[in-house]
Amino acid sequence: MKTILDVQDLSVSFDVYGGVVQAVRGVSFSVKEGEAVAIVGESGSGKSVTAQTIMRLIATPPGKINRGSIVFDGQDLLSLSEKEMQKVRGNKIGMIFQDPMTSLNPTMTVGKQIMEGLMKHQRLSRSAAKKRAIELLSMVGIPHAESRISQYPHHFSGGMRQRVVIAIALACNPALLIADEPTTALDVTIQAQILRLMKDLQQQTKTSIILITHDLGIVADMCDRVIVMYAGQIVETGTKREIFRNPQHPYTKGLLNSLPRLDQAKDEPLVPIYGTPPDLIKPPQGCGFCSRCDEAMRICETDVPEMTAISDTQTVRCWLQHVRARPTEMDSGKGASA
């Protein structure tokens, strides 16, 4: 499959009162056409900053893109002017934000907000844009779309507002859809409906999806591949099966162990990840997870581990999995006769 997005060595910082926050530190990943990729990690890991940088929505100042490249469909987004980026944003790349009430304009009807992108990017007439907006509202499961198109965001429930946001994001048939925790503000029943809607729409439109979340249950249902972030870095990548069945990084294992399971005994407690994430104004010299890791070694405190390939599709940033730490045939007794 063709690679639609390629991010290489992305580094983003924010100049704040207390110093410079190194929010994203050397992030590299890619997304293929029609693929759904999850970026997971706890709050402050750099997930949303990565997504907003792809969309060039980072305010500068205080934000600053220090280095790296973001190549979308053969074009480096970091080299584009703001005017050129406006032709990409909302057109070729759509974004679903976390809270629909703050991402929708309360003074405009939902129909006008959908029509806006259609008229700007696809040069549709007002009547054609209105017809397409009604189709989009129906497609995302809003009943009586013909009458509801003239209503304002406050007339809709939280789940319906999120459907409107999805309609806006999909209006111009983008090649890439970034969903930044799209179900966090919704109850579990509506969450399931929204996720099913996104999955169905992806299959219909073949749109690539980057799903940013801290909910591994959503990842298991929605995504093909998983990127785990911690302290502004990618610490593990792999297919959904690899991450859930064979996690390699202690942080990934900690995330999975802290989830309730159906086969878990009533009196069996959840295993939390003790401690707090590091201060990214003064990031650790070595591994970012070192202070919270039960398996930390001396080298973890002083040296940042390299990405190590576990398989063709799984990589991990951990000294425990580094090639120098793996047992050799001689260590395991094989070939001792030699």
Side-chain angles (χ1 to χ4, degrees):
M1 288 188 292
K2 177 185 173 184
T3 297
I4 192 72
L5 177 72
D6 186 42
V7 178
Q8 291 296 324
D9 197 27
L10 184 65
S11 176
V12 182
S13 63
F14 292 89
D15 192 359
V16 298
Y17 180 77
V20 178
V21 178
Q22 298 180 38
V24 175
R25 305 186 292 150
V27 164
S28 299
F29 67 94
S30 62
V31 180
K32 297 186 182 301
E33 281 186 335
E35 185 180 34
V37 177
I39 302 180
V40 303
E42 62 194 281
S43 297
S45 61
K47 310 183 302 296
S48 293
V49 173
T50 299
Q52 290 172 18
T53 305
I54 292 170
M55 294 290 284
R56 292 275 302 276
L57 292 174
I58 296 293
T60 53
K64 181 181 179 183
I65 301 171
N66 300 304
R67 65 176 188 273
S69 65
I70 302 172
V71 178
F72 170 74
D73 200 19
Q75 190 174 37
D76 189 353
L77 300 184
L78 298 184
S79 67
L80 301 183
S81 65
E82 176 57 26
K83 188 174 182 180
E84 291 171 324
M85 192 63 203
Q86 287 177 7
K87 297 177 182 178
V88 175
R89 197 185 294 132
N91 184 22
K92 298 178 180 179
I93 305 178
M95 189 161 185
I96 303 171
F97 294 93
Q98 182 172 344
D99 185 357
M101 198 57 193
T102 57
S103 57
L104 291 171
N105 188 332
T107 67
M108 293 171 61
T109 64
V110 296
K112 189 173 181 180
Q113 293 183 61
I114 299 172
M115 291 163 59
E116 195 174 38
L118 292 167
M119 294 168 68
K120 178 178 179 180
H121 296 300
Q122 298 196 345
R123 306 296 183 187
L124 296 185
S125 65
R126 181 170 292 276
S127 59
K130 184 177 181 179
K131 182 180 178 182
R132 176 60 177 157
I134 293 171
E135 291 174 358
L136 285 162
L137 286 179
S138 298
M139 185 174 72
V140 298
I142 293 181
H144 313 297
E146 296 85 353
S147 59
R148 304 215 71 179
I149 195 172
S150 59
Q151 293 182 326
Y152 291 85
H154 67 269
H155 291 130
F156 293 76
S157 66
M160 287 297 179
R161 283 196 291 266
Q162 194 64 294
R163 290 170 187 266
V164 172
V165 172
I166 293 172
I168 293 171
L170 293 174
C172 297
N173 299 315
L176 175 65
L177 180 65
I178 301 174
D180 188 0
E181 303 197 25
T183 61
T184 299
L186 307 175
D187 63 64
V188 290
T189 305
I190 304 301
Q191 276 187 23
Q193 294 176 7
I194 294 296
L195 292 172
R196 176 55 55 190
L197 171 65
M198 288 177 60
K199 199 169 185 178
D200 291 344
L201 291 174
Q202 186 206 11
Q203 292 172 354
Q204 292 172 24
T205 61
K206 306 300 180 185
T207 300
S208 302
I209 292 179
I210 296 176
L211 176 65
I212 296 166
T213 184
H214 57 265
D215 190 332
L216 292 175
I218 292 174
V219 174
D221 184 49
M222 276 284 299
C223 298
D224 308 307
R225 198 155 50 87
V226 184
I227 296 168
V228 183
M229 288 191 70
Y230 184 80
Q233 295 179 316
I234 292 176
V235 295
E236 187 166 1
T237 67
T239 64
K240 176 172 61 178
R241 184 181 182 86
E242 287 170 332
I243 295 298
F244 281 89
R245 297 286 184 90
N246 187 35
Q248 296 295 313
H249 197 280
Y251 178 61
T252 311
K253 294 176 184 178
L255 289 177
L256 293 169
N257 288 336
S258 64
L259 288 175
R261 303 188 313 273
L262 292 175
D263 60 348
Q264 190 170 354
K266 281 184 179 180
D267 57 348
E268 185 181 348
L270 296 177
V271 182
I273 302 175
Y274 293 102
T276 56
D279 182 0
L280 292 184
I281 291 179
K282 294 180 180 178
Q285 183 179 347
C287 173
F289 192 62
C290 178
S291 64
R292 305 173 75 183
C293 182
D294 294 334
E295 302 175 85
M297 303 176 289
R298 191 178 303 166
I299 193 173
C300 302
E301 299 176 3
T302 58
D303 294 78
V304 178
E306 305 166 358
M307 271 294 191
T308 301
I310 304 300
S311 70
D312 291 341
T313 53
Q314 187 175 15
T315 60
V316 63
R317 189 185 298 277
C318 181
W319 284 116
L320 291 169
Q321 305 303 332
H322 194 272
V323 65
R324 287 186 289 170
R326 294 177 183 174
T328 63
E329 288 187 357
M330 190 66 76
D331 294 333
S332 61
K334 297 177 183 178
S337 59

